[in-house]
Amino acid sequence: MTRVKIKEILSLSPQGQEVIVKGWVRTFRNNQFIALNDGSTNNNLQVVVDFNATEETILKRITTGAAICATGKLIASQGKGQTVELNATSVQIIGDSDAEKYPLQPKKHSLEFLREIAHLRFRTNTFGAVFRIRHSLAYAVHKFFNDKGFVYLHTPIITASDAEGAGETFAVTNFDLNNIPKNDKGEIDFKQDFFGKHTNLTVSGQLEGELGAMAFGDIYTFGPTFRAENSNTTRHLAEFWMIEPEMAFYDLNDNMDLAEELLHYVINYALEHNKEDIEFLNTRLLDEEKQKPQNERSELNLLEKLQFCVTNKFERITYTQAIDILKESSHNKKKKFQYLINEWGVDMQSEHERYLVEKHFKKPVIITDYPAAIKSFYMRQNEDGKTVRAMDILFPGIGEIVGGSQREERLDKLEARMNAMNIPTEELQWYLDTRRFGTCEHAGFGLGFERLVLFVTGMTNIRDVIPFPRTPKNCEF
Ligand code: 4AD
Ligand code: MG
C-alpha cells in the first residue's frame, strides 16, 4: 500500500477502503481526534484513534506539529465539518514535536508574528493557501506563454549593466572587503575583481530579453530581480520575481493587449484551480473587515474583486489625461493628497494612482505616454518631443503592477537620448547592435510577480506572499 495525499482522500467516497496517510498534526482532541494536514490542501483529514487499543506512550506523542503516519479504513464521518474520516488501526510517530516549544499553537496568530517564524508559517492555513496560489500563478504564467509559442529565456542574474538606469543595484564582488585593491588614482581597481569589471545583481532582464526577441520574435523571462531601493513599504522587496515578455513587431497597443490578456488568464487560472484556497482567504478577509468601521470596508470581497477584474476591460488613458483628472479632482482641490498635483510632468505617487483606480475609474487602469523625463532611456520617443510610449498598469489596492513600453528602435534617437541622460554607450554596444542589424518595432513589459500574488490572495503586505522576504535590514532564513 502506498501513501495517499489528503486532497485525494477527501475526494474519495468512503467504503471502508484501507489507506495510509502521512502528515503533520494540527490538533489532537479528547485523546481521539487528530486533525491531520499534509499540505496538499487546506482541509485537514480527521483521523480517529482508538485510545483503548493504542499505547499510552504513542498517544502522548501525538502533539501539534508532530509528523505521523496513520493507517486505517476510510469511513463516512458522523461528525460535523467533514464527510470522510480515517478510522485508524495504527498510528506511527515519524517525528516528534515538543508541544511546549512548538511556536505554532492551535489559535490565530498575527501575520507579524508569523513573519518572524517564516520557516514554520507554511504550516498555517493562511500561508498554505497563499503559497499554493503562488505556485499556480507561476505555472499559469508559463502555460500562457508556452501556449502562445513564446521562448522562455534565462537572462543573467549577475550583470555589468543597470537596465533601468536608476543606480539602485547590489554590487557583486569577491574582493576581500578589508583589503580592496586600488589603482594609481586611488580608485577601486575592478580589473582585479572576479569579472575584471564592476558587476551587480540584475534589476531587470529586459535588455538581454530584447536581444532574444530580435531572434525568436517572442520571448519572456521569469526570474528574480534585485533592487537596493530603501523603500520600506508594503509593496517593495529588495529581491522580487519579475515576468518580462519582449515581442518583436509589437507596438504599444499590442503590448497593452498582451498584458491585459495575461492578467485575465492567470487570475482566471487561479480562480479555477485554487477555488478552496481563494475561498478560505476570502472568508479570512471578511472576518478581518468586520473589525473595521463600516466606511473603511471594501465594496467588493476578494472573490468579487477577482471576478470583476477578469470580466472587465481595463481603462486606458494617457498620462496627460490622468494629470487633468487628478488636478480637477475634489481630492486635489480639498488638499487631501499629500502631494498636490499642480503641473504636468510630475511623477505620480501611489496616492494618485490609487485615487484613479479605486475612486475615479473603480477598475484597473493603463496609463500611457508618460513624460520622457521620468522614464527610462529605452522607451520610444513620441513625435511631441516630450513624452514616451510607456505604459503602467495600475490595480486596485496595489498601484503599479506592470511597467512597460514600446522600445526606441531608431539608433540615432536612442543614442541621442542615452547621451542626454549620461548613459555610457560604449558599455552597451551589444544592446545598440540590435538597432544596427535588423532593427524593428518592438515592445515589452515587466509584471511584478509578488504584486500579482498580493492581488490574487488579497494579502496586504508583500512580505507575506514571498516565502522569505528580503527588505531593508532584514535577511533572515
Ligand atoms: O516598472 P519596472 O521598474 O520596469 C522594469 O523593470 C522594466 N525593465 C520592465 C520591462 O519593460 N521589461 O518594474 C516592473 C514591475 C513593476 O510594475 C512592479 O510590479 C514590479 O516590477 N516591481 C517591484 N515589485 C516588488 N518590489 C519592488 N521593489 C519592485 N520594483 C518593481
Ligand atoms: Mg515602473
Side-chain angles (χ1 to χ4, degrees):
M1 246 193 338
T2 52
R3 167 193 167 216
V4 187
K5 292 212 177 174
I6 290 175
K7 184 179 172 147
E8 192 186 328
I9 291 181
L10 294 177
S11 71
L12 297 174
S13 68
Q15 292 161 341
Q17 63 270 56
E18 279 253 304
V19 292
I20 298 181
V21 286
K22 293 181 182 177
W24 294 269
V25 175
R26 286 281 171 90
T27 56
F28 186 36
R29 264 187 314 120
N30 300 348
N31 239 1
Q32 197 178 8
F33 303 107
I34 305 173
L36 193 69
N37 191 283
D38 68 359
S40 59
T41 158
N42 244 356
N43 299 315
N44 302 324
L45 175 68
Q46 170 146 295
V47 177
V48 185
V49 184
D50 179 355
F51 52 80
N52 291 320
T54 310
E55 279 175 51
E56 189 64 31
T57 49
I58 296 283
L59 289 174
K60 282 217 172 90
R61 290 166 67 195
I62 304 175
T63 52
T64 299
I68 66 162
C69 172
T71 311
K73 287 192 167 51
L74 209 58
I75 56 163
S77 176
Q78 308 297 315
K80 271 199 286 187
Q82 68 269 330
T83 51
V84 299
E85 62 187 30
L86 187 77
N87 214 335
T89 45
S90 104
V91 174
Q92 284 166 274
I93 309 295
I94 300 172
D96 286 287
S97 168
D98 183 340
E100 300 284 303
K101 296 192 181 134
Y102 188 56
L104 287 173
Q105 296 302 314
K107 63 162 197 180
K108 201 170 153 75
H109 293 292
S110 74
L111 296 174
E112 290 75 17
F113 170 72
L114 292 172
R115 232 170 270 149
E116 286 166 20
I117 51 160
H119 58 302
L120 296 171
R121 67 179 177 169
F122 299 127
R123 298 189 191 188
T124 64
N125 284 335
T126 299
F127 288 96
V130 166
F131 289 108
R132 273 187 300 270
I133 292 170
R134 182 179 166 112
H135 158 79
S136 275
L137 288 169
Y139 178 76
V141 164
H142 285 299
K143 182 159 167 48
F144 175 84
F145 286 118
N146 182 66
D147 290 354
K148 284 191 175 292
F150 279 58
V151 169
Y152 177 29
L153 194 71
H154 292 101
T155 50
I157 305 280
I158 301 174
T159 162
S161 83
D162 166 10
E164 292 304 300
E168 292 168 324
T169 59
F170 289 101
V172 173
T173 177
N174 76 336
F175 277 153
D176 171 359
L177 295 184
N178 291 313
N179 186 18
I180 297 174
K182 301 273 172 71
N183 63 18
D184 309 341
K185 291 186 210 148
E187 298 159 340
I188 297 174
D189 187 8
F190 287 108
K191 287 208 179 71
Q192 295 186 48
D193 203 352
F194 189 90
F195 295 105
K197 56 162 94 170
H198 181 263
T199 51
N200 51 265
L201 295 177
T202 189
V203 294
S204 156
Q206 179 196 321
L207 301 193
E208 291 89 353
E210 285 187 52
L211 313 179
M214 292 300 123
F216 297 107
D218 301 323
I219 66 95
Y220 72 105
T221 73
F222 187 170
T225 49
F226 308 86
R227 299 201 183 171
E229 41 191 353
N230 201 359
S231 319
N232 233 323
T233 78
T234 53
R235 292 171 308 115
H236 287 89
L237 290 164
E239 176 180 298
F240 65 98
W241 288 66
M242 185 154 57
I243 296 131
E244 294 185 276
E246 193 68 36
M247 297 73 61
F249 316 113
Y250 264 54
D251 67 11
L252 191 69
N253 284 319
D254 303 323
N255 202 28
M256 289 192 278
D257 290 344
L258 183 77
E260 189 164 343
E261 193 185 336
L262 169 67
L263 286 164
H264 280 162
Y265 180 89
V266 296
I267 295 168
N268 246 326
Y269 188 92
L271 279 168
E272 266 174 44
H273 294 83
N274 297 80
K275 225 167 167 310
E276 265 178 23
D277 286 326
I278 293 178
E279 271 163 14
F280 172 83
L281 292 171
N282 189 40
T283 311
R284 180 186 167 276
L285 274 177
L286 287 175
D287 285 346
E288 251 182 27
E289 290 263 297
K290 283 187 199 143
Q291 319 291 323
K292 293 185 190 166
Q294 192 81 35
N295 62 345
E296 281 175 30
R297 294 184 198 168
S298 327
E299 285 170 36
L300 301 181
N301 70 33
L302 177 63
L303 268 171
E304 290 164 340
K305 196 180 71 172
L306 298 178
Q307 291 290 0
F308 178 85
C309 217
V310 292
T311 45
N312 282 284
K313 294 287 284 175
F314 301 169
E315 190 72 33
R316 297 181 183 189
I317 57 167
T318 63
Y319 166 89
T320 304
Q321 290 169 317
I323 290 294
D324 285 342
I325 292 170
L326 291 168
K327 214 162 51 182
E328 294 308 315
S329 69
S330 59
H331 235 68
N332 202 51
K333 289 183 175 155
K334 289 186 191 150
K335 301 198 178 358
K336 280 198 196 156
F337 287 130
Q338 194 185 342
Y339 296 90
L340 294 179
I341 298 279
N342 298 315
E343 56 188 316
W344 190 94
V346 293
D347 208 353
M348 274 180 247
Q349 304 292 323
S350 75
E351 56 175 344
H352 307 125
E353 298 178 341
R354 295 186 70 159
Y355 177 86
L356 289 169
V357 173
E358 290 158 30
K359 295 254 166 15
H360 190 83
F361 290 109
K362 295 186 192 286
K363 62 167 156 167
V365 178
I366 312 184
I367 300 184
T368 64
D369 302 285
Y370 281 82
I374 56 171
K375 288 290 183 188
S376 301
F377 73 91
Y378 50 70
M379 297 188 176
R380 195 174 199 278
Q381 298 155 45
N382 279 322
E383 302 311 313
D384 64 11
K386 291 195 307 192
T387 59
V388 288
R389 291 300 264 159
M391 64 124 173
D392 277 4
I393 304 186
L394 314 179
F395 259 39
I398 307 289
E400 180 190 335
I401 194 165
V402 164
S405 71
Q406 186 173 330
R407 316 305 188 194
E408 183 53 83
E409 83 284 12
R410 298 161 296 186
L411 182 64
D412 53 335
K413 300 242 183 215
L414 182 57
E415 280 181 328
R417 180 98 202 277
M418 289 170 80
N419 290 332
M421 292 174 76
N422 286 321
I423 293 174
T425 47
E426 316 80 65
E427 285 163 28
L428 286 173
Q429 287 307 315
W430 51 271
Y431 181 69
L432 293 171
D433 265 357
T434 52
R435 275 66 172 172
R436 292 191 181 104
F437 309 117
T439 193
C440 71
E441 188 177 63
H442 65 291
F445 60 85
L447 165 63
F449 188 55
E450 284 74 21
R451 296 205 182 160
L452 172 68
V453 183
L454 262 185
F455 182 72
V456 176
T457 57
M459 300 298 282
T460 47
N461 193 319
I462 201 162
R463 292 164 180 80
D464 295 332
V465 300
I466 188 165
F468 302 104
R470 272 78 182 94
T471 49
K473 302 282 177 290
N474 168 43
C475 193
E476 284 302 311
F477 314 104

